[in-house]
Amino acid sequence: MQATKYSTYELRVRAVKANLKGMAKNALANAYQVNRSTIHRWVKRYHEKKEHGLTRGAVSGRPSALESIKDKTFLTVVSKP
């Protein structure tokens, strides 16, 4: 099984802008180590919503346990020696 790679917003923007300048989707997929269909999806979302379409949306799943901890409490726990 192949490990899932996390793509940053900046990576998605660079890939789409390179495609708009003429770089082939296959070459971009190889360069960024993602599937060719992923590049197609990024470009399509860019054309629909511009750069806002490349931001990461909400995901399903269990909420993070850290979200329930207040900032002050979190800093107290993290900064303990």
Side-chain angles (χ1 to χ4, degrees), residues 11 13-34 36 39-40 43 47:
L11 181 135
V13 170
R14 281 196 316 259
V16 169
K17 288 188 176 183
N19 178 253
L20 294 175
K21 289 182 180 179
M23 190 169 181
K25 290 179 177 87
N26 285 336
L28 286 167
N30 289 333
Y32 290 105
Q33 298 179 350
V34 295
R36 186 174 47 89
I39 301 292
H40 282 280
V43 171
H47 286 302

Side-chain angles (χ1 to χ4, degrees), residues 20-70:
L20 294 175
K21 289 182 180 179
M23 190 169 181
K25 290 179 177 87
N26 285 336
L28 286 167
N30 289 333
Y32 290 105
Q33 298 179 350
V34 295
N35 194 298
R36 186 174 47 89
S37 63
T38 301
I39 301 292
H40 282 280
R41 190 171 51 250
W42 292 347
V43 171
K44 180 181 176 186
R45 289 189 336 210
Y46 179 82
H47 286 302
E48 291 171 354
K49 299 180 182 177
K50 299 298 176 198
E51 290 186 11
H52 181 70
L54 299 176
T55 58
R56 185 167 294 278
V59 295
S60 62
R62 184 176 181 173
S64 172
L66 292 177
E67 289 181 15
S68 64
I69 298 174
K70 301 292 183 207

